[in-house]
Amino acid sequence: SGVERVKKLFPKNRLVEHLTTCATVNGCANAKNFFLGKIEAPVPTSPVCNAQCQGCISLQPENRDFPSTQKRIAFKPDPEEIAELALYHFGNEPNPVVSFGQGCEGEPTLAADVIEKAIRLIRKQSSKGHINVNTNASRPEALARLFDAGLTHIRVSCNSVRDPYYSRYYQPKGYTFADVTESVRTAKRHGGFVSLNYLSIPGF
């Protein structure tokens, strides 16, 4: 019923259509929360990534023995679509969170141009809520721009704080582990909240 209600409110918003599949087919808890009007709402934005994680859940090479668990978003939403969704969620939840960087997308900072504009649109209308980016933290300069626009939190994914092992898993393209640590420093300099999404692999 939540899906039907939101689709009627925003019939032209492509993100709503995408999240419908996330909630009803893939079982994404955040997508369900959005349609239920509670807690954290997802804002998938980036169809591309600059890492090739061994366990990526949205894109795997065809010759792998295991498939990805869901399809990656195939378009980059407009800032207006993002702001519309976020402001709607802000009106439904007393302590709302919206998060870029979902399991159905690539690296969100590669869409920093769109996200920055979206955050500015959101912050023009509301100072409420937390705006979070789940990220591989590969682009500190992009994160600095997002914090300047009104970003409040980042969650940094890593599997090791030792460069050789980090790189074996993430297989970074065009960035290094030094960029990850610099992103954390950048977030703290901007007064942001940083959490580490530390992937523990038994036996590794």
Side-chain angles (χ1 to χ4, degrees), residues 110-125:
L110 295 176
D113 53 336
V114 170
I115 294 174
E116 180 182 2
K117 292 174 183 175
I119 292 175
R120 293 191 185 280
L121 287 173
I122 295 164
R123 287 308 185 206
K124 275 185 181 179
Q125 298 188 53

Side-chain angles (χ1 to χ4, degrees), residues 46-81:
S46 177
V48 296
C49 195
N50 55 355
Q52 193 174 350
C53 300
Q54 296 285 354
C56 180
I57 61 174
S58 67
L59 186 67
Q60 287 290 336
E62 290 185 7
N63 60 353
R64 278 282 173 89
D65 291 333
F66 54 91
S68 57
T69 57
Q70 58 211 341
K71 289 185 178 179
R72 183 175 291 181
I73 191 169
F75 65 94
K76 188 186 293 186
D78 298 327
E80 292 77 14
E81 290 177 297

Side-chain angles (χ1 to χ4, degrees), residues 116 119-120 123 141-151 190:
E116 180 182 2
I119 292 175
R120 293 191 185 280
R123 287 308 185 206
E141 73 292 341
L143 285 172
R145 286 165 40 210
L146 298 182
F147 275 108
D148 287 339
L151 183 69
H190 283 77

Side-chain angles (χ1 to χ4, degrees), residues 25-171:
V25 177
N26 298 331
C28 172
N30 279 355
K32 291 179 181 180
N33 283 340
F34 169 66
F35 290 111
L36 293 171
K38 65 180 186 179
I39 318 173
E40 182 179 3
V43 196
T45 304
S46 177
V48 296
C49 195
N50 55 355
Q52 193 174 350
C53 300
Q54 296 285 354
C56 180
I57 61 174
S58 67
L59 186 67
Q60 287 290 336
E62 290 185 7
N63 60 353
R64 278 282 173 89
D65 291 333
F66 54 91
S68 57
T69 57
Q70 58 211 341
K71 289 185 178 179
R72 183 175 291 181
I73 191 169
F75 65 94
K76 188 186 293 186
D78 298 327
E80 292 77 14
E81 290 177 297
I82 295 169
E84 185 176 60
L85 184 152
L87 290 166
Y88 172 76
H89 185 65
F90 281 9
N92 289 322
E93 159 66 30
N95 190 31
V97 180
V98 292
S99 285
F100 300 92
Q102 298 297 309
C104 60
E105 67 176 309
E107 168 52 32
T109 60
L110 295 176
D113 53 336
V114 170
I115 294 174
E116 180 182 2
K117 292 174 183 175
I119 292 175
R120 293 191 185 280
L121 287 173
I122 295 164
R123 287 308 185 206
K124 275 185 181 179
Q125 298 188 53
S126 178
S127 60
K128 183 181 179 181
H130 304 297
I131 302 178
N132 172 64
V133 171
N134 301 313
T135 176
N136 62 24
S138 58
R139 303 183 68 215
E141 73 292 341
L143 285 172
R145 286 165 40 210
L146 298 182
F147 275 108
D148 287 339
L151 183 69
T152 58
H153 292 61
I154 63 170
R155 187 178 73 178
V156 178
S157 294
C158 60
N159 69 311
S160 175
V161 292
R162 291 182 288 177
D163 193 344
Y165 302 106
Y166 174 91
S167 298
R168 285 185 196 178
Y169 179 84
Y170 278 86
Q171 301 180 86

